[in-house]
Amino acid sequence: MKVLVLEDDTEDWLLLQHQLRSVDLPVKQEVELELASTLSAAGEKTRQRCYDFMIADFHLPDGVALDFLFSELQRCPTMYALLVSNDEQLVTLPAVGELLRSNRVSFCVKSDLDQFRLQAEFRAAQCVSGVADTEPHRKSILLVDDDPDEREMLRWHCEQLTGMEVDVDWARDTGEALRKAAAGHYSLILVDFRLDQEIGTETIRQLHDAGIRAPMFIISDAPSFLASQEAMRCLGHRRAGFISKRRLDSQRLQQVLQAKR
């Protein structure tokens, strides 16, 4: 796997190298790690090759990484990107929100970037590049949503998955989600942002505080969600990721279920 890191802070670069030594990938392969400390240096490198995974600090000496990432994602259709920053409020910027709506981009606050988060991101990158483990597995998803039609739609998408069987469980509110999550082991928990008289980010906070460590994602079809304070706190503190309901299909589910082992 070819990885390009856009980072101008020497300490952050050394810390990242140290954390990567502890990453256990599901598919053993050599990781080629390269550094670019400026956007111009990164441009020189990407003119020579396509990378599988790009870890990019938002702020670099010669600009911000957004336009560069947009360009590279279009140029390299199997590249995955992780945007990092010390500023958790970046997720409220419209341009960052647009980038995060892609299935191939994630965001992490630098203080939360540890070996476990890196491991999950590398696995997601492997799914995008087509080298992830595809052995059959039985998975289980908990959907927290007050609309029964969403449950049936999720079940239909799960029936289209390749190489795995998926059970779909359903909770209508936070209380039911807490009871079910405590009683069972889920491969993935999806929480609607707007529940009846509840907000999904609060549901995720309660699940997290209760010790539930299954991968969790907020789902929403509201374009304004990523600009909200609730999104900033939830995504910035790494309690959950985000998937647009419009992109919640069998392909996205397969990617997430394979990545979050």
Side-chain angles (χ1 to χ4, degrees):
M1 177 176 284
K2 298 180 289 294
V3 182
L4 180 62
V5 180
L6 279 64
E7 177 60 72
D8 66 321
D9 189 307
T10 303
E11 291 186 4
D12 285 345
W13 166 241
L14 292 175
L15 178 60
L16 179 64
Q17 288 179 294
H18 173 73
Q19 292 169 335
L20 286 173
R21 296 190 191 104
S22 302
V23 172
D24 181 23
L25 300 179
V27 176
K28 296 300 181 183
Q29 61 178 165
E30 182 179 353
V31 175
E32 301 175 36
L33 196 65
E34 296 184 32
L35 173 67
S37 58
T38 64
L39 289 173
S40 57
E44 288 292 329
K45 288 180 177 292
T46 56
R47 276 192 284 273
Q48 304 297 322
R49 68 195 303 189
C50 278
Y51 290 86
D52 302 304
F53 187 11
M54 197 171 289
I55 303 174
D57 193 348
F58 181 81
H59 293 286
L60 292 163
D62 52 350
V64 297
L66 287 183
D67 288 342
F68 180 78
L69 285 181
F70 271 116
S71 174
E72 288 304 305
L73 287 164
Q74 292 177 355
R75 190 177 72 89
C76 301
T78 60
M79 190 191 82
Y80 183 86
L82 173 63
L83 183 65
V84 299
S85 174
N86 289 317
D87 183 5
E88 65 180 27
Q89 296 191 34
L90 280 181
V91 294
T92 66
L93 296 177
V96 175
E98 180 64 27
L99 193 65
L100 291 175
R101 288 188 178 92
S102 167
N103 295 347
R104 297 158 52 205
V105 183
S106 185
F107 171 79
C108 185
V109 177
K110 279 190 175 183
S111 59
D112 289 333
L113 188 61
D114 56 19
Q115 68 186 71
F116 304 107
R117 177 61 183 266
L118 279 171
Q119 184 163 303
E121 298 296 347
F122 263 90
R123 288 173 173 174
Q126 285 184 313
C127 289
V128 170
S129 64
V131 298
D133 182 9
T134 57
E135 290 298 315
H137 291 276
R138 189 167 195 88
K139 305 286 186 177
S140 59
I141 298 176
L142 175 61
L143 173 66
V144 187
D145 197 313
D146 54 6
D147 185 350
D149 290 340
E150 296 292 341
R151 174 188 58 179
E152 296 308 315
M153 180 62 72
L154 179 62
R155 283 180 173 165
W156 185 86
H157 285 312
C158 287
E159 290 173 357
Q160 316 307 311
L161 297 177
T162 302
M164 66 174 69
E165 296 181 12
V166 180
D167 298 320
V168 177
D169 205 354
W170 183 41
R172 297 171 181 80
D173 53 35
T174 300
E176 190 175 5
L178 285 166
R179 291 192 297 274
K180 290 195 171 185
H185 177 75
Y186 292 100
S187 309
L188 177 66
I189 299 177
L190 302 174
V191 182
D192 191 10
F193 177 57
R194 291 294 182 188
L195 300 169
D196 185 23
Q197 300 181 356
E198 295 181 299
I199 297 178
T201 49
E202 176 62 18
T203 304
I204 283 182
R205 185 194 67 77
Q206 292 190 41
L207 288 167
H208 188 272
D209 291 349
I212 305 302
R213 292 298 178 262
M216 291 184 272
F217 283 80
I218 281 283
I219 56 175
S220 175
D221 55 7
S224 61
F225 167 72
L226 286 170
S228 67
Q229 291 295 315
E230 292 90 349
M232 181 192 74
R233 286 191 293 269
C234 187
L235 302 179
H237 287 88
R238 200 168 50 88
R239 289 176 179 149
F242 169 75
I243 303 176
S244 168
K245 280 192 176 183
R246 290 172 291 178
R247 295 181 181 270
L248 187 58
D249 54 19
S250 56
Q251 181 180 1
R252 180 58 166 147
L253 285 169
Q254 183 119 20
Q255 181 191 97
V256 172
L257 286 167
Q258 288 179 331
K260 303 294 182 179
R261 289 207 188 121

